[in-house]
Amino acid sequence: MPFTHATSTSKAFMRLSMLIAGAGLAAAAWAAEPAPKDTTATNPLGGKATPATPAKATPGQPRQITWEELVPKDWDPAKEFKGMDLSALDDGDPRANELLMKMQEVSNNAPTNPAMNGTEIKIPGFIVPLEEAKGEVTEFLLVPYFGACIHTPPPPANQILHVVPQKGAKFRAMDTVWVTGKLQTLRNDSMMGVSGYHVSAATVTKYTGGSK
C-alpha cells in the first residue's frame, strides 16, 4: 500500500489532492494498481466518457448521471487550505497532523446536492464491499475512481454512495458496475469511509462502457 511509509507532510499533500480530485478538479493519482485506461476526474472509469451535461431521462427510466452532479457547484474543498505552504512543515510537525485531521473533517462533511434527492439514477463506479453473504455482496460503497477507500484515502462524502441492492450482487472489490435506483441524500458512516448518499439499488450490473 502506497501510504505505509508516507510522512505526515506527504500524507497532507495526498489528502488535499484527493479532496480536490473528488470534487472533479484533478485526476486521482495514487491508485496502488493501474487504473483503467484514460481514467480522469471527469471520466473516472476510462474509455468512452459519460455526458458532460446532465442527461435527460427517458420517461419511466432512471437518468444517467455524472459524479460531478453530486457535488454542489459552489463547494470548494481547498478553500480552507489556500495559502498554506505544506512544504514548510517538517516531518513529525504536530501542525501536519492537525492539518490531516482538518482535511479529514472537510472530506467527511462534504455537502451533498439537495437537488439530487429522490432522483431515480443510473451511475457507473467501483465497488467497495461492506457486507457479503453466500458469495454475494449485499451492501457496498460505490466510488468514482480505482482504489478509493481500499488503496487510497476515501473520497469526500459527496463522492461516495452507500448502496444496498435488492438482490445480492456477484461482484468483487473494485469491480466496475452500473448501479440504478433511487438516490437519497443520507449520510452513512462505515469503516471504509463516510458516504453522503444512499441508493436502494434496483439493479447492479457489469460496467461495459458508454451508457449501455
Side-chain angles (χ1 to χ4, degrees):
M1 296 178 68
F3 299 108
T4 302
H5 302 292
T7 64
S8 296
T9 303
S10 63
K11 285 182 179 179
F13 274 116
M14 292 176 183
R15 167 56 72 188
L16 182 56
S17 297
M18 295 303 285
L19 277 171
I20 294 172
L25 303 177
W30 293 282
E33 298 177 35
K37 184 179 180 182
D38 300 326
T39 296
T40 65
T42 55
N43 181 25
L45 298 182
K48 184 178 179 180
T50 52
T53 55
K56 293 183 178 180
T58 302
Q61 298 295 318
R63 179 168 70 86
Q64 183 181 332
I65 67 169
T66 64
W67 285 90
E68 286 77 10
E69 291 179 70
L70 301 176
V71 181
K73 293 182 179 180
D74 60 351
W75 183 61
D76 179 6
K79 178 177 63 176
E80 298 183 48
F81 308 104
K82 288 179 179 177
M84 289 186 178
D85 183 7
L86 299 183
S87 63
L89 299 179
D90 295 327
D91 296 342
D93 190 320
R95 292 177 298 172
N97 289 327
E98 291 176 4
L99 183 58
L100 276 173
M101 292 179 65
K102 180 63 177 177
M103 290 177 178
Q104 187 66 59
E105 180 183 354
V106 170
S107 180
N108 289 346
N109 292 285
T112 54
N113 182 355
M116 300 301 293
N117 190 43
T119 304
E120 292 287 343
I121 59 98
K122 177 179 182 180
I123 188 170
F126 294 84
I127 281 183
V128 178
L130 294 178
E131 297 288 344
E132 298 182 59
K134 299 180 180 179
E136 296 182 331
V137 178
T138 57
E139 181 182 355
F140 62 90
L141 300 181
L142 191 73
V143 294
Y145 50 84
F146 186 87
C149 299
I150 294 179
H151 300 305
T152 71
N158 58 21
Q159 292 288 274
I160 302 179
L161 278 60
H162 175 227
V163 181
V164 178
Q166 292 180 1
K167 297 181 180 180
K170 292 185 178 180
F171 292 102
R172 298 175 298 176
M174 287 295 118
D175 278 350
T176 52
V177 298
W178 285 104
V179 168
T180 63
K182 179 175 287 188
L183 183 71
Q184 294 177 289
T185 52
L186 182 65
R187 179 187 174 100
N188 181 72
D189 293 70
S190 76
M191 63 182 297
M192 302 303 290
V194 177
S195 53
Y197 293 95
H198 174 85
V199 179
S200 296
T203 64
V204 180
T205 56
K206 182 179 179 180
Y207 178 80
T208 54
S211 59
K212 298 181 180 179

